[in-house]
């Protein structure tokens, strides 16, 4: 079990503040991994260790935001039991298969998908009333379709999971952008935690740096989750658009 992978004290301090900023951004719009995974790799952590450690520190951020939303009664866990279960199952499956499947084709598709999500959120004020008239599924149907599928994607690949969950809640259940963001955090926390449980057995998680970054994520997410409620869609929509485009550019430059 590794803890810090010979990182210097100043590098650890820098990663703490990077995680804080990522937690704040992720609570509002998702995409925190765009910030933390490249930062870990730039610090000298191997890509696989970066992905595994990112799940640990990411759990802190999504659990922090989820805790705030549950505490302030923005979301009811009793209503989310089945979606949580199906998301966890999907994340388990994706994490198990990540070592066996060639995901190069899927990775190449992600930028196009994220750009489509950004366009959707840009046009959201005009198209949401039309969506609400024609699309409605139950929470159980959402769990079976979106919960399992996006959870699987998060365990397998990961980028853009929060934006995908938010889009699914808006399109398939007619949620407002604030409600979609709130419910997304619960399922994103579920997929992160499920994936971390399996990664913890592989020896690739750097527990020391992950916990320190997790503290930064927790604090940042506490601020971000409050901004979601106080600022609403005026803050969420542009942040989602920005993070989708930024993540797309990042993936295109890497591939």
């Amino acid at each position: 079990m590794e803890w810090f992978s010979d990182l210097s004290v100043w590098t650890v301090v820098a990663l703490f503040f990077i995680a804080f900023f990522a937690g704040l951004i992720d609570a509002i719009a998702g995409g925190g991994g765009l910030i933390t995974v490249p930062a870990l790799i730039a610090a000298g952590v191997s890509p696989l260790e970066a992905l595994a450690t990112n799940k640990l520190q990411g759990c802190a951020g999504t659990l922090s935001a989820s805790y705030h939303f549950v505490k302030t009664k923005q979301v009811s866990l009793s209503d989310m039991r089945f979606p949580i279960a199906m998301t966890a199952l999907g994340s388990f499956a994706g994490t198990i298969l990540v070592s066996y499947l060639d995901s190069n084709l899927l990775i190449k598709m992600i930028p196009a998908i994220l750009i489509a999500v950004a366009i959707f959120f840009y046009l959201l004020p005009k198209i949401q009333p039309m969506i609400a008239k024609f699309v409605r599924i139950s929470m159980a149907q959402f769990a079976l379709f979106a919960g399992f599928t996006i959870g699987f994607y998060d365990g397998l690949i990961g980028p853009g999971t929060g934006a995908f969950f938010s889009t699914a809640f808006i399109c398939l259940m007619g949620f407002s952008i604030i409600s979609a963001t709130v419910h997304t955090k619960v399922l994103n926390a579920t997929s992160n935690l499920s994936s971390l449980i399996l990664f913890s057995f592989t020896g690739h998680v750097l527990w020391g740096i992950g916990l320190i970054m997790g503290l930064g994520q927790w604090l940042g997410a506490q601020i971000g989750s409050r901004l979601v409620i106080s600022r609403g869609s005026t803050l969420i929509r542009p942040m989602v658009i920005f993070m989708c485009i930024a993540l797309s550019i990042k993936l295109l430059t890497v591939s």
Side-chain angles (χ1 to χ4, degrees):
M1 179 185 293
E2 287 197 70
W3 286 84
F4 290 98
S5 188
D6 299 324
L7 299 179
S8 71
V9 173
W10 290 112
T11 300
V12 172
V13 171
L15 288 172
F16 169 84
F17 284 106
I18 290 170
F20 172 84
F21 178 69
L24 190 153
I25 295 298
D26 197 70
I28 297 169
L34 167 66
I35 302 167
T36 53
V37 172
L40 282 164
I41 293 174
V45 177
S46 72
L48 189 54
E49 287 177 335
L51 289 173
T53 305
N54 185 63
K55 288 299 180 183
L56 172 58
Q57 62 93 36
C59 277
T62 50
L63 287 172
S64 174
S66 298
Y67 173 76
H68 175 73
F69 292 142
V70 172
K71 183 180 178 181
T72 56
K73 302 186 185 304
Q74 301 293 324
V75 61
S76 170
L77 288 181
S78 61
D79 295 337
M80 295 288 288
R81 288 174 182 171
F82 191 41
I84 287 172
M86 293 307 299
T87 299
L89 184 61
S91 182
F92 275 131
T95 306
I96 290 172
L97 291 177
V98 72
S99 300
Y100 301 98
L101 296 180
D102 181 6
S103 56
N104 287 335
L105 178 60
L106 181 57
I107 291 174
K108 291 178 181 178
M109 292 171 58
I110 291 172
I113 296 172
L114 289 174
I115 289 172
V117 171
I119 293 172
F120 170 80
F121 272 87
Y122 178 76
L123 299 174
L124 185 60
K126 295 181 179 179
I127 65 177
Q128 188 171 5
M130 293 184 289
I131 294 173
K133 290 182 180 179
F134 299 107
V135 180
R136 278 294 187 278
I137 65 174
S138 68
M139 187 63 83
Q141 291 171 322
F142 181 93
L144 289 169
F145 174 69
F148 181 86
T149 303
I150 300 175
F152 177 85
Y153 168 82
D154 193 26
L156 184 65
I157 305 294
T161 297
F164 295 152
F165 267 128
S166 295
T167 302
F169 273 119
I170 292 169
C171 288
L172 301 178
M173 299 199 67
F175 280 17
S176 70
I177 192 169
I178 296 176
S179 182
T181 300
V182 168
H183 286 75
T184 286
K185 286 305 145 193
V186 174
L187 297 187
N188 207 169
T190 299
S191 61
N192 276 339
L193 185 58
S194 301
S195 185
L196 174 63
I197 290 172
L198 292 184
F199 267 129
S200 65
F201 292 103
T202 66
H204 295 296
V205 180
L206 302 178
W207 293 95
I209 189 60
L211 291 172
I212 290 173
M213 292 181 71
L215 176 60
Q217 275 267 359
W218 178 276
L219 295 173
Q222 284 291 303
I223 296 174
S225 60
R226 284 163 173 78
L227 288 173
V228 166
I229 303 304
S230 63
R231 297 289 299 278
S233 60
T234 59
L235 182 64
I236 299 169
R237 194 165 68 93
M239 285 303 301
V240 171
I241 294 170
F242 172 78
M243 291 308 296
C244 284
I245 293 174
L247 183 51
S248 298
I249 294 172
K250 179 65 181 178
L251 291 171
L252 285 170
T253 56
V254 170
S255 59

